[in-house]
Every structure is written in structure tokens, then in C-alpha cells.
Amino acid sequence: MNTADGNSIRNILNSYSLTETKDWRKADIIFLVTCSIRQQAEDKVSGWGIKSQNKDFNDKTVILTGCMAQRYDRENNQISEKYKKTLLRKHPWITHIINIKEIDQLPKILNIDDSDQINTQSINYDINNKYQGLFSTSHGCDNFCSYCIVPYARGELINLPKKQILENINNFISNDGKIVTLLGQNVNSWEDESRNFIDLLKEVEKIDGEFWINFLSSHPKDFSNELIDLITTHEKFLKHCNIAVQSGSDRILNLMNRRYKAQTFIDICDQIKAKDPLFRITTDAIVGFPTETDDDFNKTINLVKKCEVEMVYIGKYSQRKGTVASKMTDNVSLSIKKKREKILRECVNEIRERKHKQLLNKSIPVLMIEPNKGISYYNHEVITEKKYKPGKIYNLEVNGYSRSGLKC
Ligand code: SAM
Ligand code: SF4
């Protein structure tokens, strides 16, 4: 999501002929597109600002946006001014704080042009290549998982209109776009009037052209049988899905307010694998949630093994002020969190390597994004010995693998 937000900023500034530099010391304007998920992410931003301000900032404009830039006053449905003031007091090196939803106001804020607003919902190209497009389908979240800051940082769930999402995707495909990634905190709960996520996917699928579709992140409570049927049997869908499970223990899932049981996730994976055994499943998990015991953690390990989850975005539990879980005692020590993180990482690495090995000598479709680099139909990173034309899909034989990807 931050990549997509960064791309929106890039699109706006490019349209005003501003040039991007990779070295922030050379920049006149610096954007910090921030994350608040864990305290560590916020500390990184603060640390960077403190370290840099005296010697390098001079008269630069430093703009803070993303999750760290805002807290919503949920009662009055507006951004908390008090939070903004505290932030500026704490970080005097920040010159502007901008809500990412108001990013179309950027030219006015920066005083770079006083013409009418431009359309910022233009294509969100991935940073490095024009073949992968990221498309936001919503802002915010109303799920209130007990540990999560997103509903307070990004505010209430607002689904973007189907027409707008499809316009962007159509535009991307007609410009040779090849992988459409729909984004949302709970992407599979998207709806617009009487249309649901399945309807949206079917409309994307109908667009003419050779391209692949995927989406993230999916919530198990909204993962319907119809969705399983669609993604496993229809050709345009990448055979990979990230479904965020968070824990394999029902007790912990309940404390997290996730509103499903571990078995729900197992059933989804079983159904997917029954339709397509090569389908790849990845997930998100938190280790060291308050009161998590070895027994709870082992349930996460067992679930990952049972479902052959090939990659896990692991978060060591971080207490976030204002969330329901912040009232629970953060009683799992950092050393235990680190130990559990390591065990889980090693477990999925082993599964991933084994699954990669099973593909040896098999032919799989690969979309080339550079002459020697591609993305497989199962969303692996692929390195090729021979050079191929970027933007084209080839059937290539797997002749090697590593933990991170495949060789063809
Ligand atoms: N909306 C998605 C979902 O329902 O899972 C995930 C969005 S969240 C921005 C990304 C991931 O960060 C979560 O899946 C969770 O694993 C992790 N995360 C969120 N809050 C956390 C916290 N307080 N401590 C550690 N990890 C956290
Ligand atoms: Fe956070 Fe839960 Fe919403 Fe995901 S679904 S963004 S974890 S509150």
C-alpha cells in the first residue's frame, strides 16, 4: 500500500515536471511515506530525522505522510489535530504533515502550481517496471483487530467506486500492463452498491488482453467458496494468494478479534489445494501476542506445516497505543518473540525450498519483466539463463531453485 501511495505522489510530481533523485541529500523536497504497524517503523523515521536534521536538511521541505502522519478521531470522523500538533512538536524537522487521502492537494501545498486539481487516481505503476500495476480498492479499515493501529491511522473503511478502479486497470492494460494487483487492507470484503469482490474480479477478468490478476491482503473470514472457485479455475488469476492467518491458536485468534477459527484457514487451503495442488499460499503471522504460550505458538507452526504455507510475513507483537490489545500486558519477552520468529522463519523456509524443488524439470508460464528476470504464474521470482523479451509470457522449464526463487 505504501508503494502504491508512493507511486501516486510520484505521478503527481512527475506531471509537474519535478525530477526524482535517489539521493535525498540532493532533493529539495523529501517525502516520508510511513508505516505505523510496529513501533520500530516509527522509531526508524524519528531516528532518521534526528540524525539528519542539523547537517543535511538546510532549507529542504520534509513531508510526512502515510500511517504515522495521522490518527483519526473516530467519534467525529476527522483527523486528530492534537496528534498532529504533538508530532510537529516532537519532530520539528518536519515541515508538512499530509493525509495521504488528500495527496491531490499537493501542488497547492507546495505552491508549485495554482491550476485545477489533477487526477491522482491515475495508474499506480510499480516502482521498477511498467508491467506490474498496484490498484487500491479501498482506504482504511473497520475490522478493529485488537492489535492493529490501521483503523485509527487510516480511518474508516472507504471502498473506491468500481468505475474508478476499472478505469485505472483498463488504462494500465492498454499501456502493456501485465500483472494487476488489487490492494486493500481486507481486499476480499470490497463492495460498491450491490457489487461484491467477486463481481469486481469478474469485470477485471473481462478486460481484453493477456494479463494476470492477484490481490492482497485477504482476510479468512471473507474468503468465500465462490472466490476459491474463481481463482483456482480461471486462467487470468495468478495461482498465489496471501491470506493473513495471524495465529494457529483459536484462543489467540479470539483475543485478536479476528472472527474466524484456525480451521477456517485450513479449510480454505484444503479447498484451494484440492483444485490446484501447485497453488501457492502465503500468510501474515504475529508472534508473541500477549499471553501466547509455547502451546499456542506450536499451533501456528502446525498450521503452517499442514497448509504448506510457503512464506510468512512475521511480525513480532508490538504494542500500539490506543488499540484494545494495548490494555493487555505485553508479557512475552523480546527474546521469546525473537526465538519464535526464528523457528517460524526456518519452518517456512524449509517448506518453500521443498516446494521449489518439486517444480524441477516442470514447465511453467513466466512473465518477463527484464531480459533475465520474470514472475511465474505462481508468483515466484524467476531468473533465466537466456534472455527473453520483457512484457511477454513464456513457458519455461525450471532447472534450478533457491530459497528465494526459481531458475529457468
Ligand atoms: N489487513 C491485513 C490483515 O487483515 O491481516 C494486514 C494488514 S497489516 C497492515 C499487516 C500485518 O502487520 C498484519 O497482518 C499483522 O501480521 C502485522 N501487524 C499488525 N499490527 C501489528 C502489531 N501491533 N504487532 C506486530 N505485527 C502487527
Ligand atoms: Fe488491521 Fe485487522 Fe484491519 Fe488488517 S483487518 S488492517 S489487521 S484491523
Side-chain angles (χ1 to χ4, degrees):
M1 208 143 245
N2 280 6
T3 303
D5 290 344
N7 289 340
S8 298
I9 295 171
R10 178 176 289 109
N11 285 346
I12 296 174
L13 297 185
N14 282 345
S15 74
Y16 283 83
S17 305
L18 272 85
T19 340
E20 189 174 348
T21 167
K22 296 239 179 286
D23 181 358
W24 64 265
R25 285 178 190 81
K26 291 188 188 142
D28 299 309
I29 309 168
I30 298 169
F31 282 91
L32 298 164
V33 186
T34 58
C35 172
S36 285
I37 283 298
R38 287 175 283 271
Q39 185 58 41
Q40 207 185 8
E42 292 200 2
D43 292 347
K44 240 183 183 170
V45 174
S46 319
W48 177 83
I50 291 163
K51 209 171 90 192
S52 317
Q53 59 175 330
N54 294 332
K55 55 180 176 32
D56 291 311
F57 278 3
N58 301 323
D59 53 359
K60 291 184 195 308
T61 301
V62 183
I63 300 175
L64 187 88
T65 185
C67 279
M68 192 178 159
Q70 70 228 11
R71 287 295 176 272
Y72 270 81
D73 168 357
R74 277 268 182 175
E75 258 168 43
N76 302 310
N77 199 21
Q78 62 189 25
I79 289 188
S80 160
E81 283 302 318
K82 197 170 146 214
Y83 174 79
K84 213 167 156 178
K85 279 187 194 143
T86 312
L87 209 61
L88 284 173
R89 217 178 20 248
K90 230 168 122 186
H91 307 299
W93 46 273
I94 297 171
T95 52
H96 298 73
I97 295 181
I98 302 182
N99 177 357
I100 195 72
K101 274 194 277 181
E102 288 163 4
I103 209 72
D104 52 357
Q105 302 290 329
L106 203 53
K108 284 197 186 120
I109 294 165
L110 292 176
N111 214 4
I112 48 179
D113 199 326
D114 57 5
S115 63
D116 290 336
Q117 271 185 20
I118 55 162
N119 175 20
T120 56
Q121 294 301 334
S122 53
I123 308 163
N124 286 318
Y125 288 117
D126 198 71
I127 296 173
N128 298 321
N129 70 80
K130 64 171 188 161
Y131 303 115
Q132 293 173 283
L134 303 172
F135 301 89
S136 294
T137 60
S138 61
H139 296 296
C141 183
D142 289 337
N143 276 335
F144 291 97
C145 300
S146 66
Y147 51 81
C148 186
I149 196 71
V150 170
Y152 308 93
R154 297 248 168 187
E156 66 173 344
L157 172 73
I158 298 172
N159 287 311
L160 300 181
K162 186 183 77 166
K163 190 168 169 280
Q164 181 187 322
I165 301 169
L166 290 175
E167 251 171 42
N168 286 338
I169 298 176
N170 261 306
N171 198 356
F172 170 69
I173 300 295
S174 53
N175 280 291
D176 219 16
K178 294 291 171 192
I179 300 183
V180 171
T181 301
L182 300 173
L183 296 177
Q185 290 300 347
N186 186 353
V187 70
N188 51 332
S189 73
W190 178 90
E191 54 190 12
D192 176 25
E193 291 167 357
S194 60
R195 302 283 168 183
N196 65 19
F197 187 56
I198 306 278
D199 299 320
L200 176 66
L201 289 178
K202 286 185 175 165
E203 295 253 6
V204 176
E205 191 190 15
K206 267 197 270 169
I207 298 173
D208 261 351
E210 191 182 44
F211 65 94
W212 292 338
I213 310 165
N214 75 343
F215 46 89
L216 78 157
S217 230
S218 294
H219 198 300
K221 77 176 169 59
D222 298 311
F223 216 98
S224 63
N225 291 344
E226 211 185 343
L227 183 57
I228 295 174
D229 273 350
L230 183 71
I231 61 174
T232 51
T233 57
H234 287 220
E235 212 184 320
K236 279 189 177 166
F237 291 90
L238 269 183
K239 301 304 173 226
H240 162 246
C241 206
N242 191 75
I243 312 169
V245 70
Q246 310 300 356
S247 172
S249 156
D250 287 343
R251 192 182 70 81
I252 296 291
L253 286 174
N254 188 35
L255 288 176
M256 287 177 165
N257 191 29
R258 289 291 288 181
R259 288 172 277 170
Y260 55 83
K261 294 209 180 323
Q263 191 59 42
T264 310
F265 179 84
I266 297 170
D267 290 344
I268 295 168
C269 296
D270 283 351
Q271 282 186 62
I272 290 178
K273 302 263 183 185
K275 298 229 176 216
D276 182 351
L278 289 180
F279 201 103
R280 289 177 77 228
I281 291 161
T282 58
T283 195
D284 292 11
I286 295 178
V287 292
F289 186 82
T291 76
E292 186 190 64
T293 60
D294 281 342
D295 186 45
D296 292 314
F297 173 67
N298 285 335
K299 288 183 174 149
T300 304
I301 292 285
N302 291 339
L303 172 138
V304 160
K305 285 184 180 163
K306 189 169 174 21
C307 299
E308 298 195 301
V309 174
E310 291 189 41
M311 212 266 292
V312 182
Y313 295 97
I314 309 171
K316 292 191 285 299
Y317 174 72
S318 166
Q319 200 170 54
R320 309 306 290 129
K321 201 170 157 222
T323 61
V324 169
S326 69
K327 296 184 189 78
M328 304 172 191
T329 313
D330 184 6
N331 67 334
V332 182
S333 69
L334 183 61
S335 66
I336 293 182
K337 285 177 186 163
K338 283 185 177 165
K339 193 173 128 204
R340 290 181 185 163
E341 181 187 32
K342 186 164 177 271
I343 296 172
L344 182 53
R345 178 149 295 128
E346 283 169 2
C347 170
V348 284
N349 282 349
E350 191 271 319
I351 297 169
R352 188 161 64 249
E353 228 168 306
R354 182 160 42 81
K355 300 293 283 183
H356 286 181
K357 191 173 175 187
Q358 284 171 5
L359 290 170
L360 273 179
N361 304 321
K362 289 200 166 60
S363 265
I364 55 170
V366 178
L367 165 77
M368 297 309 292
I369 50 173
E370 286 176 27
N372 289 100
K373 206 171 138 190
I375 309 280
S376 84
Y377 191 37
Y378 304 92
N379 215 359
H380 302 96
E381 283 179 17
V382 177
I383 301 291
T384 61
E385 276 166 14
K386 283 203 282 181
K387 282 191 171 23
Y388 295 90
K389 195 164 179 235
K392 296 271 171 237
I393 296 169
Y394 298 88
N395 269 322
L396 300 180
E397 194 179 293
V398 179
N399 55 28
Y401 65 91
S402 67
R403 236 180 220 178
S404 59
L406 305 176
K407 292 181 187 131
C408 290

